């Protein structure tokens, strides 16, 4: 059993990650006032001191603790560390992501260090900090406290001596006028950047209380602040790139890292385990090779910054002139599972990425890069650039790549000589058909349990981003990824009696769905140019598509005035096959192009 200490954005994210397993767990908050709906988790509320926490862990057989509490909850962190050390229960610390410290901000270590040369101050440090700031009022500083607009917070503010005139609320749209603002270094998820930007627009002086510099678990990990100029990775206490010990791997700062840590420490919690994309493997190998080139060190693991901003740690090995990663696809039936991906690095005047042996070459237009370029897609290239700030020449190679590529659709797509280095999120979620459909069902059940009046199903990271912008008021649980199993997902929605379903689909899958292929995976079906030509004729659009490789090339070839007519034809065909599967609900189909433009009938 897992126990999560939440009540924060990270706690909510942790719950979302655990819900994917369909396995019971506990979620603890101090006040119980966080609005969170769980399908498999049980919420417990109330502060737990050392003895109460110990008793709870023993009574409920807790085998793993996730500490996703607020970074300033130092006492809670130490209590968790002490109890878990005594019970020999591993801890995963879900840390926040912090922007670099701005030199224009006044950084202080404690409330006692707030400057007194102020006429007025807006304090956004929480209702618990009011009594710690009352001394400023005696110094003649007019202090306004911004708190949550809820009865318990207002009562506590009054108990600490704040008057109604001194209170304002986060729900108010406008930030009150003051000479300066005081806030905690709360990280990206705590709205630190948004608060400081709003204060700058008002010309306010910004004073920030530094977060605790270290979170130490007895016998466990240490989160150390710092950043290297050439790598977007943590620094060790001596300012050098540090290798990450096994204990330190228990510190994560995002959902993918959390899932992988849970899979490692409590393997049975998830029916299937996640893996790494070829892009992440190539990036990790390149980071390791660059560290060896520049620092002469060979760490056994390196931190990799993923596209979502979080950092995970990947095991690496070394050869005579390269670093390598053995691809772990988890429980995904991927032909690239177990392959070795190598990176060699040389000094250069510019940053370069080269494809070596076993990495394919684009031979047809329609990809992220022109024919003749190495088949290393845009997302992995961006990962390499984001992680490595030095000017080096990186050569990615895959010793068995050419042989493995024969078992893929690469040749049909116009990629010759090896495999593609791909991946959007950096992580591969398990793709066993039965297990994947089971996970979709769990996600749909969670979506329904959230109380949302609409569930938005989508293919993955990119389309979901556009759809979340279209439906900003829906909870995160309302967005469910179908992967390729559109038909199965709609059947599940119908069985669960979900009344409103939005299906977001990009053109590559849409042209397959329009022909009646409810499972759009490349192993089951490929793009049919003859059928696409028929839909173009139906839209009265006459263009030559004989040489297209990917359906998305149509967006570039279609005249602007034909984009909407063709999109309506595609969507209409999709409706023909999808509507019968949702007898109990109403279906909306949205076609999304590569730039996020959305088409509907």
């Amino acid at each position: 059993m897992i126990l999560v200490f939440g009540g924060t954005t990270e706690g909510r994210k942790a719950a979302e990650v655990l819900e994917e397993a369909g396995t019971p767990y506990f979620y603890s908050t101090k006040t119980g006032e966080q609005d969170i709906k769980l399908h498999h988790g049980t919420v417990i509320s109330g502060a737990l001191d050392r003895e109460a926490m110990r008793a709870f862990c023993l009574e409920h057989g807790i085998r793993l603790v996730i500490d996703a509490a607020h970074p300033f909850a130092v006492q809670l962190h130490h209590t968790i560390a002490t109890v878990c050390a005594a019970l020999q229960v591993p801890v995963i610390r879900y840390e926040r992501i912090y922007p670099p410290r701005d030199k224009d901000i006044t950084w202080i270590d404690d409330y006692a260090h707030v400057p007194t040369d102020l006429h007025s101050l807006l304090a956004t440090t929480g209702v618990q900090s009011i009594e710690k700031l009352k001394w400023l009022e005696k110094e003649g500083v007019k202090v306004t406290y911004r708190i949550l607009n809820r009865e318990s917070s207002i009562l506590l503010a009054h108990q600490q001596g704040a008057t109604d005139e001194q209170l304002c609320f986060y729900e108010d749209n406008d930030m009150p006028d003051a000479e300066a603002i005081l806030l905690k270094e709360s990280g990206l998820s705590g709205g630190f950047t948004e608060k400081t930007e709003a204060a700058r627009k008002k010309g306010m002086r910004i004073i920030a209380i530094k977060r605790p510099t270290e979170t130490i678990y007895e016998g466990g990990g240490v989160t150390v602040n710092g950043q290297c100029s050439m790598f977007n990775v943590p620094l060790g206490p001596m300012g050098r790139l540090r290798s990450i010990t096994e204990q330190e791997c228990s510190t994560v700062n995002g959902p993918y890292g959390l899932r992988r840590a849970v899979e490692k420490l409590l393997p049975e919690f998830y029916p299937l385990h996640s893996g790494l994309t070829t892009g992440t493997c190539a990036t990790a190998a390149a980071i390791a090779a660059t560290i060896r080139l520049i620092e002469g060190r060979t760490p056994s693991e390196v931190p990799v910054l993923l596209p979502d901003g979080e950092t995970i740690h990947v095991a690496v090995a070394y050869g005579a002139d390269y670093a390598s990663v053995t691809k772990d696809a988890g429980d995904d039936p991927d032909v690239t599972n177990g392959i070795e991906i190598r990176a060699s690095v040389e000094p250069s005047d510019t940053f370069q990425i080269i494809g070596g042996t076993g990495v394919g070459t684009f031979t047809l237009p329609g990809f992220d890069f022109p024919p003749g370029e190495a088949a290393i897609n845009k997302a992995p290239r961006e990962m390499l650039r984001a992680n490595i700030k030095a000017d080096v020449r990186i050569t990615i190679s895959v010793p068995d790549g050419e042989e493995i590529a024969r078992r893929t659709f690469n040749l049909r797509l116009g990629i010759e000589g090896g495999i593609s280095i791909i991946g959007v999120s950096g992580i591969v979620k398990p793709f066993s058909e039965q297990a994947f459909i089971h996970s979709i069902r769990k996600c749909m059940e969670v979506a329904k349990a959230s109380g949302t009046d609409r569930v938005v199903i989508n293919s993955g990271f990119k389309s979901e981003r556009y759809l979340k912008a279209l439906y900003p008021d829906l909870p995160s649980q309302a967005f469910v990824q179908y992967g390729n199993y559109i038909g199965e997902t709609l059947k599940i929605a119908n069985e669960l009696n979900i009344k409103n379903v939005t299906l977001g689909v990009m053109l590559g899958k849409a042209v397959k769905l329009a022909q009646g292929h409810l499972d759009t995976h490349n192993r089951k079906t490929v793009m049919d140019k003859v059928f696409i030509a028929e839909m173009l004729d139906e839209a009265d659009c006459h263009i030559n598509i004989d040489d297209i490789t990917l359906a998305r090339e149509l967006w570039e070839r279609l005249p602007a005035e034909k984009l909407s007519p063709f999109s309506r034809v595609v969507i209409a065909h999709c409706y023909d096959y999808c509507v019968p599967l949702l007898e109990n609900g109403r279906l909306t189909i949205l076609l999304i192009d590569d730039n996020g433009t959305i088409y509907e009938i």
Side-chain angles (χ1 to χ4, degrees):
M1 186 70 80
I2 293 177
L3 171 60
V4 180
F5 287 91
T8 58
T9 301
E10 287 68 36
R12 188 187 299 277
K13 291 179 180 178
E16 291 175 3
V17 172
L18 298 185
E19 287 286 326
E20 295 174 357
T23 306
Y25 64 95
F26 290 101
Y27 184 92
S28 172
T29 65
K30 182 178 179 180
T31 64
E33 292 179 315
Q34 185 181 29
D35 183 18
I36 184 168
K37 294 185 173 90
L38 307 177
H39 192 65
H40 301 288
T42 299
V43 176
I44 60 173
S45 60
L48 295 177
D49 60 18
R50 188 176 300 180
E51 188 52 43
M53 190 183 299
R54 179 180 180 276
F56 184 91
C57 290
L58 289 173
E59 179 183 355
H60 295 281
I62 301 301
R63 298 175 56 201
L64 176 64
V65 167
I66 299 173
D67 178 3
H70 195 281
F72 282 78
V74 175
Q75 183 58 54
L76 176 57
H77 298 317
H78 281 285
T79 300
I80 294 170
T82 302
V83 171
C84 290
L87 297 178
Q88 296 186 339
V89 172
V91 180
I92 301 171
R93 170 67 181 132
Y94 196 148
E95 187 54 275
R96 295 186 175 186
I97 298 173
Y98 298 92
R101 285 180 178 166
D102 192 325
K103 294 180 180 179
D104 294 332
I105 294 175
T106 300
W107 296 94
I108 61 176
D109 295 314
D110 189 77
Y111 294 97
H113 299 154
V114 177
T116 56
D117 59 339
L118 302 171
H119 297 293
S120 59
L121 176 72
L122 172 63
T124 66
T125 47
V127 68
Q128 298 282 359
S129 68
I130 292 177
E131 63 181 357
K132 300 175 183 178
L133 293 169
K134 296 300 289 183
W135 69 274
L136 279 172
E137 297 178 31
K138 297 178 182 179
E139 296 290 332
V141 180
K142 179 184 177 182
V143 184
T144 302
Y145 303 100
R146 195 171 196 179
I147 65 173
L148 294 173
N149 189 7
R150 59 189 184 196
E151 186 176 344
S152 59
S153 296
I154 296 171
L155 177 62
L156 183 56
H158 288 160
Q159 290 173 347
Q160 295 183 77
T163 65
D164 287 336
E165 291 73 23
Q166 288 181 289
L167 299 181
C168 64
F169 305 105
Y170 281 102
E171 291 77 3
D172 298 337
N173 293 326
D174 294 330
M175 179 180 288
D177 292 325
E179 182 181 347
I181 184 173
L182 176 68
L183 63 163
K184 291 178 179 177
E185 187 181 13
S186 55
L188 296 181
S189 64
F192 184 82
T193 301
E194 291 81 1
K195 291 174 185 176
T196 55
E197 288 178 354
R200 282 194 178 95
K201 289 179 180 178
K202 281 183 162 286
M204 300 169 71
R205 179 180 175 184
I206 302 170
I207 305 167
I209 299 177
K210 299 175 186 174
R211 70 187 186 274
T213 55
E214 292 185 343
T215 299
I216 304 176
Y217 288 100
E218 184 178 341
V222 180
T223 303
V224 182
N225 302 327
Q227 204 76 11
C228 175
S229 61
M230 291 181 295
F231 300 87
N232 282 337
V233 296
L235 289 179
M238 300 304 294
R240 293 174 59 82
L241 283 164
R242 63 191 174 110
S243 60
I244 306 299
T245 67
E246 183 173 343
Q247 290 288 354
E248 287 176 304
C249 280
S250 295
T251 298
V252 302
N253 64 356
Y256 294 130
L258 176 61
R259 172 159 179 159
R260 289 179 64 78
V262 172
E263 290 171 350
K264 178 181 179 181
L265 296 169
L266 200 64
E268 65 272 26
F269 188 80
Y270 286 96
L272 293 175
H273 290 179
S274 61
L276 302 176
T277 64
T278 50
T280 297
C281 295
T283 301
I287 292 170
T290 306
I291 291 173
R292 182 162 73 169
L293 173 70
I294 294 174
E295 296 195 10
R297 298 188 306 109
T298 54
S300 60
E301 287 188 330
V302 295
V304 178
L305 182 70
L306 296 181
D308 71 347
E310 69 174 289
T311 300
I312 64 170
H313 301 92
V314 179
V316 295
Y318 300 88
D321 59 352
Y322 62 85
S324 67
V325 172
T326 299
K327 185 177 187 296
D328 171 18
D331 288 314
D332 184 60
D334 188 338
V335 296
T336 63
N337 184 48
I339 66 170
E340 182 187 21
I341 299 177
R342 297 177 177 177
S344 58
V345 175
E346 305 168 276
S348 174
D349 293 332
T350 60
F351 183 82
Q352 301 177 57
I353 302 171
I354 308 297
T357 302
V359 173
T361 300
F362 296 128
T363 63
L364 295 174
F367 294 97
D368 292 328
F369 299 93
E373 283 282 337
I376 303 174
N377 286 3
K378 182 179 179 181
R381 288 176 188 257
E382 291 176 345
M383 281 182 65
L384 286 161
R385 177 73 277 190
N387 278 272
I388 300 174
K389 298 303 182 183
D391 283 333
V392 290
R393 176 187 173 99
I394 302 169
T395 301
I396 306 297
S397 59
V398 183
D400 298 324
E402 189 168 2
E403 170 60 30
I404 293 168
R406 296 192 181 100
R407 289 179 269 161
T408 71
F409 281 104
N410 274 13
L411 284 175
R412 189 179 301 184
L413 295 173
I415 300 172
E416 298 180 0
I419 67 166
S420 308
I421 304 298
I422 60 175
V424 175
S425 67
I427 296 295
V428 177
K429 288 193 176 181
F431 203 79
S432 160
E433 181 168 346
Q434 182 178 2
F436 194 86
I437 293 172
H438 176 73
S439 70
I440 292 173
R441 179 177 293 277
K442 291 297 182 184
C443 290
M444 295 289 279
E445 290 171 350
V446 171
K448 183 175 182 180
S450 75
T452 180
D453 62 354
R454 179 176 298 275
V455 174
V456 182
I457 62 175
N458 58 89
S459 60
F461 177 83
K462 188 174 184 178
S463 60
E464 185 170 288
R465 184 172 73 248
Y466 296 137
L467 291 167
K468 281 185 173 179
L470 185 65
Y471 295 103
D473 295 328
L474 290 182
S476 59
Q477 298 95 326
F479 297 85
V480 177
Q481 295 183 8
Y482 55 70
N484 289 291
Y485 300 111
I486 298 173
E488 292 296 332
T489 305
L490 289 172
K491 291 176 184 177
I492 292 169
N494 193 62
E495 292 170 14
L496 296 176
N497 202 31
I498 294 174
K499 295 303 182 184
N500 293 290
V501 176
T502 294
L503 164 61
V505 62
M506 301 189 82
L507 192 57
K509 295 183 186 299
V511 296
K512 298 177 182 179
L513 180 62
Q515 199 173 5
H517 299 292
L518 297 169
D519 178 346
T520 59
H521 197 280
N522 287 337
R523 291 176 300 194
K524 301 289 183 68
T525 181
V526 294
M527 177 181 68
D528 187 337
K529 292 183 185 179
V530 173
F531 178 70
I532 292 175
E534 292 173 359
M535 288 195 292
L536 287 167
D537 287 339
E538 190 175 342
D540 195 27
C541 182
H542 308 291
I543 60 173
N544 184 4
I545 61 169
D546 291 342
D547 61 338
I548 69 168
T549 307
L550 301 172
R552 68 184 187 191
E553 293 177 62
L554 290 167
W555 294 124
E556 300 296 330
R557 299 202 178 190
L558 284 166
E561 69 272 17
K562 293 297 182 181
L563 292 173
S564 291
F566 176 70
S567 297
R568 287 196 294 269
V569 169
V570 174
I571 294 171
H573 282 277
C574 292
Y575 266 116
D576 290 342
Y577 293 100
C578 292
V579 167
L581 302 179
L582 195 68
E583 298 174 345
N584 299 325
R586 180 179 178 183
L587 178 65
T588 300
I589 299 180
L590 304 176
L591 180 62
I592 310 167
D593 74 13
D594 289 342
N595 297 316
T597 302
I598 295 177
Y599 299 88
E600 61 181 314
I601 292 181

